[in-house]
Amino acid sequence: MNKLWFLVCLTMLFASCREQKKVDHEIYDGPEVAMRNIDMLVSDSAVIKLRLVARTQLVLPNKDRDFPNGIYLRFYNKFGLVTSTLVADKGYYFSEKDYYQAEGNVIMRSLFSGDELSTELLNWDPEKEQIYTDNFVTIKTQDEVMTGEGLEASQDFEEYTILKPSGVMSIMPTPNPQVE
């Protein structure tokens, strides 16, 4: 009986000494939510401020949003009229600093003046209702094409400043009234 007991204990000892298999647990760092065919209206006090359209929206763990298949924004004024549009190959929303970034073939148009901005990267601050970039920009108006590095503008794209203009620009003199 002692021998049998000894053999059982010895068998158990060898079985328990086997090397345990290690299981690697991969940490998932992808999006928490993936949505398709987004068409969102943003309003304030029952007045539409913005329409955002995207094929794909990914919500990341830090609450940032990624629009990997392009983004389209339509800006509205306080009367509910569309003032400008923005389209880009990709888009991002940074929740901590509360701003959007459009990237790749960015085109912004003012529907009132017809002016068109093109660049490769453009930021939009919804709180200040401003757009800005440090990248190269091209602005086409009815009369000319302006280029330069960097831009600050209102989100309706009616007022803008090219920070470092380059190229040839025409300046139309304003007539001075004659005092008699």
Side-chain angles (χ1 to χ4, degrees):
M1 179 81 167
N2 281 341
K3 286 185 179 181
L4 182 61
W5 182 252
F6 177 74
L7 286 174
V8 169
C9 288
L10 189 61
T11 305
M12 290 176 61
L13 180 66
F14 283 123
S16 65
C17 290
R18 268 189 302 164
E19 186 177 326
Q20 297 291 324
K21 291 183 180 180
K22 292 183 179 180
V23 177
D24 288 334
H25 295 284
E26 292 184 24
I27 297 174
Y28 178 73
D29 63 351
E32 289 182 342
V33 178
M35 294 182 268
R36 304 266 186 239
N37 301 319
I38 303 298
D39 193 343
M40 177 176 67
L41 294 174
V42 177
S43 64
D44 182 17
S45 303
V47 176
I48 296 174
K49 306 289 268 177
L50 172 75
R51 180 179 180 196
L52 183 149
V53 178
R55 270 197 252 146
T56 307
Q57 175 181 293
L58 306 175
V59 180
L60 305 177
N62 63 359
K63 303 306 175 210
D64 287 354
R65 288 180 255 160
D66 184 2
F67 305 93
N69 299 318
I71 189 168
Y72 171 79
L73 300 175
R74 184 182 286 175
F75 299 94
Y76 294 81
N77 66 13
K78 62 184 177 185
F79 303 110
L81 300 173
V82 178
T83 59
S84 57
T85 61
L86 184 147
V87 64
D89 293 340
K90 294 180 183 181
Y92 306 96
Y93 172 71
F94 299 98
S95 64
E96 188 174 313
K97 294 187 178 181
D98 188 29
Y99 79 96
Y100 286 80
Q101 186 174 78
E103 183 179 293
N105 196 28
V106 181
I107 306 291
M108 183 159 193
R109 289 183 180 95
S110 166
L111 279 99
F112 294 128
S113 67
D115 292 358
E116 179 181 288
L117 162 71
S118 60
T119 186
E120 286 300 311
L121 186 127
L122 191 65
N123 300 300
W124 171 53
D125 184 330
E127 182 70 28
K128 295 178 183 175
E129 297 185 347
Q130 293 182 330
I131 60 167
Y132 58 93
T133 187
D134 291 329
N135 285 34
F136 183 80
V137 296
T138 301
I139 298 176
K140 296 177 184 174
T141 69
Q142 290 179 355
D143 304 325
E144 63 186 340
V145 175
M146 298 176 281
T147 60
E149 296 285 329
L151 173 105
E152 292 176 354
S154 58
Q155 75 182 21
D156 62 9
F157 200 53
E158 286 301 304
E159 298 177 16
Y160 52 82
T161 302
I162 297 176
L163 302 178
K164 296 178 187 173
S166 60
V168 178
M169 293 177 227
S170 61
I171 299 174
M172 304 284 279
T174 55
N176 292 330
Q178 298 291 330
V179 179
E180 292 184 40

